[in-house]
Amino acid sequence: QSPAPPPAAALRSARRAGRARCSTQNGAVTTSSSAAGAEPNDASPAPPLPPRLQLRSGAKVIPHPDKVQKGGEDAFFIAANGQVVGVADGVGGWAESGVDPALYSRELMKQAERGVASKQVKSFEDPLEVLKFAHAETKQPGASTAVIASLVNSEDGTELRAANVGDSGFRVLREGRIVFASPPQQHFFDCPYQLGDESTDTPADAELLSVGVQEGDIIVMGSDGLWDNTFDMEISELVMQFIDSGEVAGRNSNERMTRLAGLLAEIAQDFSQDEERDSPYSLAAKEEGYDVPLLDKLRGKRLTGGKMDDITVVCSEVTSAP
């Protein structure tokens, strides 16, 4: 049974201190996969193979204002092969035990990148295998959410496969419109699934996702600092404006995606500091029973505002491989 929501003061405290360490029974695992294609007709000529696609990526990290000196507690990696990206968010509650929450998230992403680069992972096309390898190789104390996505080319086309543990996530946009959004994994409000010391969650609990992609699609991956403060419609509008602006014409895809990641991270930071705005986080809190004290409520005050947090954004454009 989930605990009753604490008073609004605790919500404000949680915003300052960061997410709590969670230790609960494993939740259900949801999986999705693509249907197998039809058998080819031997009498027909073989159709031309679809073009091989890759990811051109860029990233931006904006630490929580209180964590700027150490660079925040999020981490990410972009594999050199242009096929795999990932984001991790260190669980802030470990700081109460004297453990730097950045240690685990950074090591997890470092090991994921190493596993892909060294080919110690059986197949980089299986993000769950990458996550399992990174989890097994990470020996630092702490805990972290994690999402890893791999671009996979086949005769049937190209798809993005992802393994997600927790409330980091991604969106796939086509011509600026969101065509796929990964759902968060939470045991209860503000307690996402997480890997690490003392956690009952493991890579086996990851939600496995797959979505068909095509050249020109943009993938926005981020920690919850993005999703808690920015609505999908706002992300879509910014990406559409970015595409239409032409301000980065002539730059390569990596530079374009770095610029887009920066714009998204900056707007999320602005929203996180707006105490009067209805944010995805404040609306979710109200749905879970959080509210301002009764006296404040009688005075017309509402539970509003963003969530100050580390913000990490990785943007990837699906492009033709050389």
Side-chain angles (χ1 to χ4, degrees):
Q1 181 178 0
S2 298
L11 174 60
R12 292 192 295 272
S13 176
R15 287 175 174 162
R16 293 192 299 269
R19 179 181 300 119
R21 290 157 58 180
C22 304
S23 181
T24 67
Q25 294 301 313
N26 293 339
V29 179
T30 304
T31 63
S32 62
S33 59
S34 300
E39 291 295 326
N41 186 342
D42 293 339
S44 303
L49 293 176
R52 182 178 179 276
L53 302 178
Q54 65 180 8
L55 299 176
R56 293 290 188 180
S57 305
K60 178 67 175 181
V61 178
I62 299 180
H64 185 290
D66 295 338
K67 304 172 185 178
V68 171
Q69 188 172 2
K70 69 171 184 177
E73 297 163 357
D74 287 353
F76 72 91
F77 81 96
I78 298 171
N81 66 2
Q83 302 294 117
V84 193
V85 293
V87 167
D89 179 359
V91 176
W94 275 88
E96 299 172 4
S97 301
V99 174
D100 182 353
L103 294 176
Y104 191 91
S105 58
R106 291 174 183 171
E107 184 69 14
L108 188 70
M109 293 293 94
K110 177 182 176 181
Q111 294 300 337
E113 184 174 16
R114 183 176 72 86
V116 173
S118 65
K119 299 183 180 180
Q120 294 184 62
V121 175
K122 293 180 181 179
S123 172
F124 69 82
E125 295 183 343
D126 184 346
L128 181 58
E129 287 300 316
V130 179
L131 185 60
K132 286 180 177 178
F133 175 87
H135 180 252
E137 294 295 313
T138 299
K139 309 303 181 184
Q140 294 284 356
S144 173
T145 67
V147 57
I148 293 175
S150 303
L151 192 72
V152 180
N153 293 286
S154 72
E155 294 182 1
D156 297 322
T158 303
E159 65 178 359
L160 188 75
R161 299 175 184 170
N164 182 54
V165 177
D167 57 2
S168 295
F170 66 95
R171 306 288 186 265
V172 178
L173 295 97
R174 187 163 299 149
E175 297 179 351
R177 295 176 174 83
I178 293 176
V179 296
F180 184 86
S182 65
Q185 276 189 319
Q186 295 193 101
H187 293 290
F188 49 87
F189 178 69
D190 226 20
C191 178
Y193 285 37
Q194 53 195 248
L195 304 174
D197 274 11
E198 302 180 9
S199 176
T200 58
D201 304 322
T202 72
D205 296 304
E207 186 165 14
L208 307 182
L209 306 161
S210 64
V211 56
V213 295
Q214 60 191 43
E215 188 171 2
D217 286 355
I218 291 176
I219 298 147
V220 176
M221 179 178 285
S223 62
D224 68 325
L226 174 64
W227 313 119
D228 282 344
N229 291 297
T230 316
F231 291 100
D232 280 1
M233 181 182 298
E234 294 165 332
I235 292 173
S236 179
E237 289 175 353
L238 190 148
V239 172
M240 291 183 73
Q241 291 171 9
F242 179 82
I243 293 172
D244 294 341
S245 69
E247 67 170 283
V248 289
R251 296 185 183 181
N252 64 39
S253 292
N254 291 348
E255 291 175 336
R256 288 198 300 272
M257 292 301 99
T258 300
R259 174 62 176 152
L260 178 58
L263 292 173
L264 287 166
E266 288 163 9
I267 196 172
Q269 182 188 43
D270 289 343
F271 288 155
S272 75
Q273 297 171 342
D274 187 343
E275 297 181 355
E276 302 301 321
R277 165 184 161 86
D278 284 323
S279 68
Y281 185 78
S282 67
L283 293 180
K286 283 187 280 191
E287 288 180 0
E288 294 296 326
Y290 292 87
D291 209 340
V292 296
L294 179 58
L295 185 57
D296 288 341
K297 193 171 185 180
L298 293 173
R299 292 171 176 167
K301 293 185 179 181
R302 301 183 303 120
L303 183 63
T304 58
K307 179 186 178 185
M308 299 284 285
D309 201 352
D310 298 328
I311 300 167
T312 295
V313 182
V314 176
C315 289
S316 303
E317 184 177 12
V318 181
T319 64
S320 294

